[in-house]
Amino acid sequence: IDGLLFGFARAIANPITPIVGWAYNDDLVPHERDVERARALLAEAGWVDTDDDGYVDKDGQPLRVEIKTRTGDPVRENGVLVIQSNLRDVGIDVQPRMLELSTVLGQVQQGDFDIYMGQVSGRLSPDLTNVFGTGGGYNWGGYSNATVDRLMAEARGAVDRETAARLWRQVQEILYAEQPQTMLYARSPLVGIRRDIRDATPNFLTPYEDLALWWRLPEGQN
């Protein structure tokens, strides 16, 4: 966030955008960097560095994964390199692969990837069915959890917001624990406004929110 986005973002842990405040589970916080804990979890799964080459291995095979992303987006291209460096610190060998957008999306849609670094568009609806529901059109990782499917169906059918919010928060708790996708950040709106404009309220969805309420100071006033 600081190095690639110049601070114009916030770290998040949920696939629901924070702007949907009524459904966003802000009790969940992004996992902190913990190299020792990560190495311990890898060791529990049988991945240890047996040949002192800096990378963990099991049954003679190093833990090597490929991260794909699109070309032409400096944040994603450099973000993959940051992830590569972070995972190297815990002994995972990451191979970055930058591809043209249509090519990489075609491969991801076919399931031809280890990890894909992409972008999720913010929506006012908290419905995650298309991304995490069994058979969802954007569920490219093939995630399937019967409890998540049931909770999402109940949330979609809820007749009041309080019930829907409770159900969506439960969904987020499960996704947070299982990590079918790891959310990194939500971008902050970056909008330039003239110094003499007042009551402008650009937000995550549009820079022109409540445009009819904006007003301009008389000439010569600041």
Side-chain angles (χ1 to χ4, degrees):
I1 289 173
D2 291 338
L4 300 181
L5 298 168
F6 305 101
F8 290 101
R10 59 175 284 189
I12 61 172
N14 305 335
I16 293 178
T17 175
I19 200 171
V20 189
W22 66 270
Y24 184 77
N25 191 336
D26 53 13
D27 290 334
L28 305 176
V29 297
H31 295 289
E32 294 183 357
R33 175 184 173 89
D34 190 336
V35 171
E36 294 306 314
R37 177 61 175 153
R39 285 188 173 274
L41 289 171
L42 288 167
E44 287 179 17
W47 294 97
V48 294
D49 184 5
T50 61
D51 54 8
D52 295 323
D53 67 347
Y55 296 105
V56 297
D57 56 85
K58 180 164 64 173
D59 300 327
Q61 296 297 319
L63 181 49
R64 180 177 294 119
V65 296
E66 182 180 72
I67 297 185
K68 294 180 178 179
T69 195
R70 61 164 291 185
T71 58
D73 183 342
V75 173
R76 291 195 221 185
E77 291 181 347
N78 291 312
V80 165
L81 299 180
V82 172
I83 294 171
Q84 178 189 38
S85 176
N86 289 339
L87 293 183
R88 183 187 296 123
D89 290 342
V90 299
I92 300 174
D93 183 11
V94 174
Q95 304 294 315
R97 190 175 181 196
M98 321 295 186
L99 299 165
E100 192 272 333
L101 179 59
S102 61
T103 300
V104 71
L105 285 183
Q107 293 181 5
V108 170
Q109 290 168 3
Q110 295 297 319
D112 180 18
F113 68 101
D114 295 329
I115 301 172
Y116 171 62
M117 183 177 181
Q119 178 175 300
V120 179
S121 298
R123 300 170 63 243
L124 283 176
S125 169
D127 190 359
L128 301 171
T129 305
N130 209 24
V131 179
F132 297 104
T134 302
Y138 292 98
N139 187 357
W140 296 330
Y143 178 73
S144 181
N145 183 309
T147 300
V148 169
D149 289 342
R150 175 180 57 79
L151 290 171
M152 291 194 297
E154 293 177 5
R156 292 194 307 273
V159 296
D160 64 273
R161 178 171 284 190
E162 183 179 349
T163 300
R166 174 176 54 80
L167 293 166
W168 286 122
R169 286 187 170 92
Q170 290 179 45
V171 169
Q172 290 167 81
E173 289 171 1
I174 296 172
L175 296 176
Y176 179 80
E178 298 193 342
Q179 293 289 302
Q181 289 184 9
T182 296
M183 311 309 295
L184 300 176
Y185 56 80
R187 287 179 183 257
S188 304
L190 183 59
V191 179
I193 302 174
R194 286 174 53 122
R195 186 174 298 177
D196 56 354
I197 299 297
R198 294 293 186 269
D199 291 341
T201 54
N203 62 38
F204 181 79
L205 295 175
T206 173
Y208 304 113
E209 182 76 13
D210 292 330
L211 181 61
L213 302 179
W214 298 17
W215 59 281
R216 182 179 176 185
L217 286 171
E219 188 172 350
Q221 294 187 27
N222 291 322

